[in-house]
């Protein structure tokens, strides 16, 4: 099981390889299109970027170069711990 920490408060365990969308939505991350087009669900990865899936084409189109931002609707957690803020 992987661990997702949101805004330093909410800790959730989710299965390795699972999309983080549902956990983020439950914690209050806003969503709109859910297809990586609108950017409503941008989150800041504070720790554990290596534990998330590779950048998608949609993220590259919206965010540009890989930095610390990700689209929550596009990410899966590979394992370990990921700390996000929004």
């Amino acid at each position: 099981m992987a661990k997702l920490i949101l805004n330093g408060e909410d800790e959730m365990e989710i299965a390795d390889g699972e999309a983080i969308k549902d956990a983020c939505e439950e914690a209050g991350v806003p969503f709109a299109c859910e297809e990586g087009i609108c950017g409503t669900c941008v989150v800041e990865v504070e720790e554990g970027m290596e534990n998330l899936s590779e950048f998608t084409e949609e993220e590259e189109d919206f965010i540009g170069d890989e930095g610390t931002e990700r689209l929550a609707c596009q990410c899966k957690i590979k394992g370990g711990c990921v700390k996000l803020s929004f």
Side-chain angles (χ1 to χ4, degrees):
M1 293 294 278
K3 185 192 301 185
L4 191 62
I5 303 171
L6 298 155
N7 285 335
E9 298 174 8
D10 296 322
E11 289 190 23
M12 302 175 183
E13 285 193 358
I14 59 177
D16 294 350
E18 187 174 320
I20 67 168
K21 182 201 160 300
D22 291 337
C24 288
E25 190 169 37
E26 186 178 309
V29 174
F31 285 85
C33 74
E34 300 181 14
E35 297 172 7
I37 298 170
C38 72
T40 304
C41 65
V42 172
V43 292
E44 184 82 19
V45 181
E46 295 179 6
E47 294 177 19
M49 181 71 83
E50 68 278 3
N51 294 326
L52 292 174
S53 56
E54 300 299 319
F55 254 48
T56 64
E57 186 175 324
E58 291 80 9
E59 288 177 296
E60 289 175 10
D61 290 346
F62 187 84
I63 295 172
D65 293 333
E66 291 183 36
T68 58
E69 292 182 331
R70 297 294 302 265
L71 296 175
C73 71
Q74 297 294 300
C75 295
K76 293 182 179 181
I77 194 165
K78 297 188 286 188
C81 181
V82 175
K83 186 176 183 180
L84 304 174
S85 61
F86 57 94

